[in-house]
Amino acid sequence: MSGISGLLDVVMKDGVRVITMTDIRTRNSLSMKMLEALNSAVADDSSLRCILLRAEGNVFSAGHNLKEIHSGNIESHRAVFESCNRLMLRLRSLPVPVIAQVDGIAAAAGCQLVAACDIVVASDTSSFSTPGGSVGIFCSTPGVPLVRNVPRKLSSYMLLTGSPISAQTAFTAGLVSLVVPKDKLEEETQCVVESIVSKSRAVLALGKRFMYQQAELTEENAYKAGADVMVNNINMADGQEGICSFVEKRKPHWTHED
Amino acid sequence: MSGISGLLDVVMKDGVRVITMTDIRTRNSLSMKMLEALNSAVADDSSLRCILLRAEGNVFSAGHNLKEIHSGNIESHRAVFESCNRLMLRLRSLPVPVIAQVDGIAAAAGCQLVAACDIVVASDTSSFSTPGGSVGIFCSTPGVPLVRNVPRKLSSYMLLTGSPISAQTAFTAGLVSLVVPKDKLEEETQCVVESIVSKSRAVLALGKRFMYQQAELTEENAYKAGADVMVNNINMADGQEGICSFVEKRKPHWTHED
Amino acid sequence: MSGISGLLDVVMKDGVRVITMTDIRTRNSLSMKMLEALNSAVADDSSLRCILLRAEGNVFSAGHNLKEIHSGNIESHRAVFESCNRLMLRLRSLPVPVIAQVDGIAAAAGCQLVAACDIVVASDTSSFSTPGGSVGIFCSTPGVPLVRNVPRKLSSYMLLTGSPISAQTAFTAGLVSLVVPKDKLEEETQCVVESIVSKSRAVLALGKRFMYQQAELTEENAYKAGADVMVNNINMADGQEGICSFVEKRKPHWTHED
């Protein structure tokens, strides 16, 4: 186990990097140090197959650190939001899937962090909110992934009123991938992790990259680009191995290489 | 109370403008006069903090006035749709949140009007439809906010078949923010209004504007623009007041000024 | 009845073309021959009012034919994906609504085919998945309509894990228009078909075309274009007939002509 004292525990096992936020004292607030620690912790390496992001305590993350912002200046504020943006975009550009495991409150930039992961598994007692308006700081950046994940009437409601939504509503709305009973959270998360590590790193990397890319194209252009991606995928080593294993009715042996 | 006889009642109290459509005779159809009355009623002024749009009777609005369209010509038709577009885009560009309170039928352009508000609170007996195809006029403009609020397979179903959906399905699909029992509608709407008027007008204005703006950018550009908006928000008067009040554990006193 | 032996049955009755995939042996896999057969079967003609796509057996479609891909080369792979793209875009550009009736498994490109239809009616025992990653071929092209129909956290989950979702979850998520008990599937599908054939072909054609077109514009540009579409619609023969029939309280008699 490695980690950053008081902020993160980072454990790497069998290709899965489990990053646990441990700053219970600040409700895992996204202080400058926490953001930098997370940015470092999510670095890619070739043995990595999946990242699992979780938290100690009953708050996944309460969002930006308002005390730090209060004592800062424009330069430090800008640095915080740039580091935060870097983290969000890095999660998306990482070649491996990033799973958020949520068991508790995800508020403001904490809700943004959840929404910026690829897959979200939440306990049924979790809640999600963007309450920044109440303290005069509208959740504008949390709104970026929120409006891309949650239907407009609900995201507007969350942003303009600050009211929380339940895990069940978050599932219905599309903010979480799975909502499970609290006592099944570890088990269900593990199932998701296992289904990911059973696959080829190279194939998931290609697939994740195109998934986000094509979502910002017109549908016609997405299909055109998609045909190329499929042809390339079939003809890479793990594509060939996958099809052969299917036809030969055996387990595939991945190289995990592009 | 002011109003436009037979069309609208408009009441302003404590910064909340309540606009009630009262043209029960035409099922609150969006005639040229109704559209112009609504366009006037939603004008901004600096004391305004929230608009609540509701209706008398069991039809929120049945949509465009087909009798008027029948007796019109191309010029009058064009004028109707231009006025209607102006209203929809004005609701979105207003600096204050617009809440639709729906208790009954919202059909065709009436459904469009609902979908064009920021927040929708609906009674569980309400219904939503875009049945224009049945009378030879496809709900093309109602489809504009519909496809941006409701998943494609359901919006296609609504537009191509004209079949209504229930309030509960509308909530699941994302067309309404909250669905509540009919006898709780006033109370629940009031909660939403109160959470809005407890906040700074200037902060909500900035937040609402960016929320719609960023939704039409790529995610990366949205984050970039968002960092600027956050830094500006923190350094405006009500941003500073909000953070100070949080750190000092007291209620904020807003200036409501940009 | 016509058809393509072993692949499709095609029945045309009262303007409705019912296309049934009958290749149970390959689980209705989208082989090159099946794709070409479907591409031919969905051709438009002026008497056509609606297409209903269904399948024999308990697999709607298992997706691309992996054995065929295994024995093919880059040129044949490219041909398969180009034919598949052509089919998907043709369903969307057809002037008549296309309904998928799903009763069973829709996997990979089979799930894509469902998502590419305008309306989807599914039995409650159906399931939907994009499991290509398990055999080394990420469902990149199935992802194209998937991310446009299903919220991002659920589509990512489906694409990255390959896990299936139930018909009920598919309805909540927006991938299907209606989920009905298995023994009501024919009856409920028939209702959808009837509501479509009761309308004007020309009006639905105009409406369907604009529905997809405007979804890829900014909201403001969509409204602008929409006003023109509405004015044109009102002044076409079936627009005039529809409004007259409404005002005169009688059934409309459509010409079905542009």
Side-chain angles (χ1 to χ4, degrees), chain C residues 4 8 10 17-19 34-45 48 50-53 83 86-99 113 117 201 208:
Chain C
I4 292 129
L8 295 183
V10 182
R17 189 182 297 146
V18 180
I19 303 172
M34 179 64 100
L35 287 168
E36 289 302 301
L38 285 167
N39 264 309
S40 299
V42 301
D44 185 38
D45 76 70
L48 188 65
C50 179
I51 287 179
L52 175 60
L53 180 62
S83 180
R86 205 153 48 235
L87 175 61
M88 302 300 153
L89 292 168
R90 191 168 285 178
L91 294 176
R92 180 182 151 143
S93 66
L94 267 176
V96 300
V98 181
I99 305 166
L113 180 56
C117 294
R201 173 183 151 101
K208 176 175 167 178

Side-chain angles (χ1 to χ4, degrees), chain C residues 34-202:
Chain C
M34 179 64 100
L35 287 168
E36 289 302 301
L38 285 167
N39 264 309
S40 299
V42 301
D44 185 38
D45 76 70
S46 61
S47 67
L48 188 65
R49 307 280 300 287
C50 179
I51 287 179
L52 175 60
L53 180 62
R54 51 193 298 287
E56 269 183 19
N58 57 4
V59 180
F60 181 82
S61 169
H64 288 294
N65 189 314
L66 290 182
K67 283 189 190 168
E68 186 182 81
I69 287 176
H70 179 248
S71 62
N73 58 25
I74 289 191
E75 283 65 41
S76 72
H77 299 157
R78 183 163 300 282
V80 163
F81 293 103
E82 283 174 357
S83 180
C84 188
N85 280 1
R86 205 153 48 235
L87 175 61
M88 302 300 153
L89 292 168
R90 191 168 285 178
L91 294 176
R92 180 182 151 143
S93 66
L94 267 176
V96 300
V98 181
I99 305 166
Q101 182 192 58
V102 182
D103 185 23
I105 292 167
C111 184
Q112 176 184 2
L113 180 56
V114 169
C117 294
D118 300 311
I119 294 174
V120 180
V121 188
S123 70
D124 53 7
T125 51
S126 297
S127 71
F128 302 86
S129 64
T130 48
S134 303
V135 293
I137 314 293
F138 197 90
C139 281
S140 291
T141 37
V144 171
L146 198 68
V147 304
R148 286 164 176 75
N149 280 283
V150 167
R152 207 179 275 196
K153 290 293 156 282
L154 194 65
S155 51
S156 300
Y157 167 78
M158 291 174 69
L159 289 163
L160 294 169
T161 70
S163 301
I165 61 169
S166 68
Q168 186 57 52
T169 295
F171 172 69
T172 302
L175 183 57
V176 310
S177 312
L178 287 177
V179 56
V180 301
K182 192 178 166 71
D183 62 0
K184 297 274 187 191
L185 184 59
E186 296 303 329
E187 185 184 331
E188 296 282 349
T189 306
Q190 203 48 39
C191 285
V192 175
V193 168
E194 278 164 23
S195 77
I196 286 168
V197 298
S198 73
K199 297 183 178 63
S200 160
R201 173 183 151 101

Side-chain angles (χ1 to χ4, degrees), chain A residues 153-154 157, chain B residues 52-55 58 60 98-106 110-111 114-115 117-129 165-190 192:
Chain A
K153 289 294 157 280
L154 194 66
Y157 168 77
Chain B
L52 175 59
L53 180 62
R54 52 193 299 286
N58 57 4
F60 180 82
V98 181
I99 305 166
Q101 182 192 58
V102 182
D103 184 24
I105 293 168
C111 184
V114 169
C117 294
D118 301 310
I119 294 174
V120 180
V121 188
S123 70
D124 53 7
T125 52
S126 297
S127 71
F128 302 86
S129 64
I165 61 169
S166 68
Q168 186 57 50
T169 295
F171 173 70
T172 302
L175 183 57
V176 311
S177 314
L178 287 177
V179 56
V180 301
K182 192 178 166 73
D183 62 1
K184 297 273 186 192
L185 183 59
E186 296 303 329
E187 185 184 330
E188 295 283 348
T189 306
Q190 202 48 39
V192 174

Side-chain angles (χ1 to χ4, degrees), chain A residues 46-189:
Chain A
S46 61
S47 67
L48 189 64
R49 307 279 301 287
C50 179
I51 287 178
L52 175 60
L53 180 61
R54 51 192 300 286
E56 270 183 19
N58 58 4
V59 181
F60 180 82
S61 169
H64 289 294
N65 189 314
L66 290 182
K67 282 188 191 169
E68 186 182 82
I69 286 175
H70 180 248
S71 62
N73 58 26
I74 289 190
E75 283 67 40
S76 71
H77 299 157
R78 182 162 300 282
V80 163
F81 293 103
E82 283 173 357
S83 180
C84 188
N85 280 1
R86 205 153 47 235
L87 175 62
M88 302 300 153
L89 292 168
R90 191 168 285 180
L91 295 176
R92 179 181 151 145
S93 66
L94 268 175
V96 299
V98 181
I99 305 166
Q101 182 193 58
V102 182
D103 184 25
I105 293 168
C111 184
Q112 177 184 0
L113 181 55
V114 170
C117 294
D118 300 311
I119 294 174
V120 180
V121 188
S123 70
D124 53 5
T125 52
S126 298
S127 72
F128 302 86
S129 64
T130 48
S134 303
V135 292
I137 314 294
F138 197 91
C139 281
S140 291
T141 36
V144 171
L146 198 68
V147 304
R148 286 165 175 74
N149 280 282
V150 167
R152 207 178 275 196
K153 289 294 157 280
L154 194 66
S155 50
S156 299
Y157 168 77
M158 290 175 71
L159 289 164
L160 294 168
T161 70
S163 300
I165 61 169
S166 68
Q168 187 57 51
T169 295
F171 173 69
T172 303
L175 182 56
V176 310
S177 314
L178 287 177
V179 55
V180 301
K182 192 179 167 70
D183 62 0
K184 297 272 187 192
L185 184 59
E186 295 303 331
E187 185 184 329
E188 295 282 348
T189 306

Side-chain angles (χ1 to χ4, degrees), chain C residues 4-25:
Chain C
I4 292 129
S5 180
L7 292 177
L8 295 183
D9 274 349
V10 182
V11 182
M12 178 84 173
K13 195 184 163 195
D14 301 335
V16 182
R17 189 182 297 146
V18 180
I19 303 172
T20 305
M21 294 182 282
T22 59
D23 193 14
I24 295 179
R25 198 181 44 85

Side-chain angles (χ1 to χ4, degrees), chain A residues 4 8 17 19 35-44 87 90:
Chain A
I4 292 129
L8 295 183
R17 189 183 295 145
I19 303 172
L35 288 167
E36 288 304 300
L38 285 167
N39 264 309
S40 299
V42 301
D44 184 38
L87 175 62
R90 191 168 285 180

